[in-house]
Amino acid sequence: MTDIEQRLAAVHARIANAERLAGRQPGSVGLVAVSKTAPIPAILAAVRADQRAFGESYIQEASAKIQALRALNLQWHFIGPIQSNKTRSIAEQFSWVHSVDRIKIAERLNEQRPASLPPLNVCIQVNVSHEQSKSGVSAIDSLPLARAILALPRLRFRGLMTIPRATDDVNEQRASFHLLAQLRQTLEADLNVSLGTLSMGMSSDLDSAIAEGATLVRVGTDIFGARTATNALTDSKG
Ligand SMILES: *Cc1c(COP(=O)(O)O)cnc(C)c1O
């Protein structure tokens, strides 16, 4: 086994353990392997270990990988901040977008989603920790945005995503994820829809996220190794 296959197996074991501890169905939590900054051979190693869903944050880097790996039919998730001039590339190349946080972006993705593809799966990114540096809407602003997305036929509204403030404090981690889970319930009741997806939990906090109901975790470092400081800085809006 390569390093990456071993790391991936360890992440699967961690997810399975968290599912069990939370009394959740085995296999109920999906894994998006966050491959931003990881080279193509690393992605191929993960594919050999049956990983199909990959997360990317930088559109130029992602496009090159998606082109190169087109024949493999992988599932690509866009998880980074979205600039309006990048929506077309996203709409054309990705299956999922986790980071929608403005109506204008949702409208552009809807217009630009090619008719030949199924509707684009989208999540609203919510800023549960109220950090200035992070993308995402407040809980209050998520309702009008959700209404707008539901009216757009080329988008399929799947649920909510968050990146809470980084902390080692498990109670604080769980409190943040709990807020997102509660918000999903509120939106489901207010809009009379069922939202299957809670995209929450990364390398450092996926156990807490699963305990609070995550259905998709997004893991980079624990699969592909540490990213450089420069790349890590561009994770937030700047
Ligand atoms: C980079 C990134 C991740 C992965 O984080 P790790 O700590 O490397 O697991 C998850 N979600 C988003 C939105 C990211 O930008």
Side-chain angles (χ1 to χ4, degrees), residues 34 36 57 79-80 161 163 201-204 218-222 227 235:
V34 177
K36 65 184 180 200
S57 299
I79 61 174
M161 180 272 234
I163 312 172
M202 324 202 307
S203 295
S204 57
R218 309 175 310 268
V219 179
T221 308
D222 280 5
R227 293 177 296 275
D235 286 1

Side-chain angles (χ1 to χ4, degrees), residues 156-221:
R156 184 159 169 225
F157 184 33
R158 301 299 297 262
L160 304 177
M161 180 272 234
T162 196
I163 312 172
R165 197 176 80 82
T167 171
D168 293 336
D169 179 344
V170 171
N171 290 326
E172 186 184 331
Q173 290 174 359
R174 288 197 53 163
S176 297
F177 293 135
H178 191 70
L179 284 176
L180 198 72
Q182 280 185 317
L183 181 60
R184 172 172 69 166
Q185 284 193 338
T186 305
L187 291 180
E188 285 182 330
D190 286 0
L191 299 167
N192 195 24
V193 291
S194 150
L195 299 173
T197 304
L198 281 179
S199 167
M200 58 189 197
M202 324 202 307
S203 295
S204 57
D205 55 15
L206 70 88
D207 320 82
S208 296
I210 291 170
E212 295 295 340
T215 65
L216 278 182
V217 292
R218 309 175 310 268
V219 179
T221 308

Side-chain angles (χ1 to χ4, degrees), residues 29-45:
V29 179
L31 172 61
V32 176
V34 177
S35 49
K36 65 184 180 200
T37 81
I40 285 177
I43 298 176
L44 288 172

